Amino acid sequence: MKFTIEATDPKSKARAGLVKTDHGDIETPIFMPVGTAGSVKAVHQRELTYDVKAQIILGNTYHLYLRPGLDVLEKAGGLHKFNGWSRPILTDSGGYQVFSLSGTRKIAEEGVMFKSHIDGSKHHFSPENVMDIQRTIGADIIMAFDECTPYPCEYNYAEKSMHMTHRWLKRCIERFDTTEGKYGYSQTLFPIVQGSVYKDLRKQSAEFIASCGRDGNAIGGLSVGEPAEMMYEMTELVTDILPTDKPRYLMGVGTPANILEGIALGVDMFDCVMPTRNARNGMLFTSEGIMNMRNEKWKDDFSPIDPNINSYVSTFYSKAYLRHLTVSKEILAAQIASIHNLSFYLWLVGQAREKIQTGEFATWKDMMVKKVSTRL
Ligand code: PRF
């Protein structure tokens, strides 16, 4: 994997760059649609490619390991072959899903024992087997095994947890660097900064992660319920320490405004379930603001969903028709809303990239943050 910076914004820390992988290039800043179980919910690959214009999607180790399982994925020749997505894929390590999804779990130095949320069966994740599992899934970018601390979190716990995440990282690197990809293309490992909302811990963690010298770095443990200002403060502290010549990935973030602020702080990659999950609940993100599609207000508004978004569904379908589908609980409502929301997120980061290249990002960002946060 190779990263080059093409432009930096004069008035913020924003950068426009290019990530090169064996499955193609990624223009940054980028948003990565979440395809937890190997599918971006309600969106098929042709729409993801030609309407949404996604450049990279995310998969989850936890889900894919439990179902369909490693034997199926290996027989298929990896996740790209299995789901038909031939562009880059990133897999999260399970170090977050285990904590948020599985009912019972036991964290120890060796790893995490957990029960499947599907059938209650018992499993164990360790830094080593999570590297092996991600080798078998075959994503282009794989994530280190970490503990994402909750919010709020006591200082003592956050400190202990951070040190364990660092020790786990050393074990991840040792296993990753002594194994090879199974399908003939290369994979790269991103470590993850933790440290909760404590400045000294965040600083220590960022310095440790930076010293590992990997191809890219991630910021975890944020967007877990802390105030947005706190998330921005921690992000800036970390981006000021992480190497400038490597991509930075802010995990699980966020709203359109969160993403714009993250870009201004020097973040290059984002992922979040929000555009797809909220779409299934009738919430639309548009270039003019946020719409609740259940609202009576859209009943006879025959204007397009969002004329500014260059995606088939955004201009073809009217607000009134989508409201009707939403209220009627039609499957098509989820499909249209998901494709539109993702198209909007990809449009937003694409616009940010253009504005960074023309040196207008900072002023455009301030105007856009207000716009995209407006409730219509
Ligand atoms: N760690 C991992 N995945 C994540 C997170 C994390 O801290 C977050 C935090 N917002 C989202 N996804 N491995």
Side-chain angles (χ1 to χ4, degrees):
M1 200 202 85
K2 223 175 104 63
F3 180 60
T4 46
I5 292 180
E6 296 175 342
T8 49
D9 181 59
K11 294 202 194 80
S12 74
K13 293 171 182 171
R15 322 96 71 71
L18 197 70
V19 175
K20 284 189 173 295
T21 78
D22 286 351
H23 283 99
D25 298 351
I26 306 156
E27 296 175 332
T28 63
I30 194 68
F31 178 78
M32 306 181 279
V34 176
T36 298
S39 110
V40 176
K41 292 189 197 305
V43 183
H44 65 60
Q45 310 301 26
R46 206 170 54 189
E47 297 163 333
L48 211 46
T49 305
Y50 300 109
D51 296 319
V52 172
K53 300 180 183 72
Q55 299 185 33
I56 170 169
I57 62 170
L58 196 130
N60 282 122
T61 298
Y62 172 87
H63 294 82
L64 293 165
Y65 158 83
L66 290 176
R67 207 166 48 191
L70 298 182
D71 48 340
V72 172
L73 286 164
E74 183 149 21
K75 259 192 210 160
L79 183 57
H80 291 88
K81 290 258 172 67
F82 187 54
N83 73 4
W85 178 257
S86 54
R87 294 182 180 193
I89 299 178
L90 179 151
T91 41
D92 197 357
S93 57
Y96 177 71
Q97 284 73 33
V98 157
F99 300 106
S100 57
L101 285 176
S102 67
T104 40
R105 58 183 193 247
K106 237 181 101 187
I107 311 166
E109 186 67 28
E110 173 50 29
V112 182
M113 289 282 307
F114 64 95
K115 272 190 184 163
S116 157
H117 72 291
I118 299 167
D119 62 4
S121 55
K122 269 193 181 168
H123 303 268
H124 186 251
F125 274 171
S126 68
E128 291 80 13
N129 79 2
V130 160
M131 292 300 101
D132 297 345
I133 295 167
Q134 291 184 95
R135 284 291 195 194
T136 299
I137 296 170
D140 301 87
I141 301 173
I142 75 169
M143 301 306 299
F145 192 54
D146 62 331
E147 184 187 7
C148 174
T149 47
Y151 179 83
C153 177
E154 278 189 24
Y155 183 89
N156 283 342
Y157 188 89
E159 185 182 26
K160 278 207 186 90
S161 168
M162 178 196 76
H163 286 301
M164 189 180 65
T165 288
H166 293 173
R167 288 189 299 273
W168 281 0
L169 173 60
K170 283 191 197 160
R171 289 164 58 189
C172 285
I173 290 174
E174 167 64 21
R175 177 60 68 104
F176 182 80
D177 286 351
T178 54
T179 54
E180 278 186 357
K182 295 187 168 178
Y183 312 111
Y185 49 83
S186 73
Q187 296 180 284
T188 194
L189 168 67
F190 280 20
I192 304 171
V193 174
Q194 290 290 344
S196 186
V197 294
Y198 302 105
K199 284 190 202 175
D200 62 320
L201 297 184
R202 281 283 165 187
K203 193 162 173 285
Q204 214 181 317
S205 188
E207 278 162 2
F208 179 77
I209 295 314
S211 78
C212 292
R214 307 308 296 192
D215 290 341
N217 300 291
I219 308 169
L222 294 176
S223 201
V224 289
E226 77 285 6
E229 287 312 318
M230 219 174 226
M231 169 168 76
Y232 300 146
E233 192 187 351
M234 294 300 132
T235 302
E236 183 162 28
L237 202 151
V238 171
T239 55
D240 280 349
I241 294 169
L242 292 178
T244 45
D245 60 346
K246 305 284 172 64
R248 302 162 179 150
Y249 163 29
L250 181 54
M251 307 190 79
V253 173
T255 64
N258 292 158
I259 288 173
L260 293 174
E261 297 295 356
I263 293 172
L265 299 174
V267 175
D268 308 293
M269 302 163 69
F270 302 86
D271 80 283
C272 192
V273 294
M274 199 176 268
T276 38
R277 181 175 294 165
N278 291 16
R280 298 194 298 279
N281 293 320
M283 183 173 172
L284 250 68
F285 296 101
T286 77
S287 58
E288 296 298 326
I290 297 164
M291 296 195 288
N292 176 352
M293 293 319 297
R294 288 174 205 291
N295 203 317
E296 178 89 21
K297 188 174 172 181
W298 314 117
K299 193 172 96 183
D300 55 1
D301 184 334
F302 302 107
S303 66
I305 293 170
D306 190 341
N308 296 321
I309 304 303
N310 183 18
S311 140
Y312 178 76
V313 299
S314 311
T315 51
F316 182 83
Y317 292 109
S318 69
K319 296 180 177 85
Y321 182 59
L322 181 56
R323 176 191 180 263
H324 159 69
L325 295 176
T326 306
V327 170
S328 313
K329 296 193 169 63
E330 286 290 323
I331 288 174
L332 187 58
Q335 295 179 279
I336 294 172
S338 299
I339 297 167
H340 165 76
N341 278 354
L342 287 176
S343 302
F344 167 72
Y345 266 64
L346 267 295
W347 171 85
L348 190 69
V349 293
Q351 286 286 109
R353 190 172 198 276
E354 274 181 29
K355 300 294 177 187
I356 295 165
Q357 284 168 329
T358 56
E360 306 163 287
F361 176 77
T363 39
W364 172 82
K365 187 264 288 179
D366 289 339
M367 181 270 296
M368 244 5 232
V369 163
K370 287 194 195 100
K371 229 182 192 182
V372 298
S373 311
T374 308
R375 300 240 166 210
L376 297 174

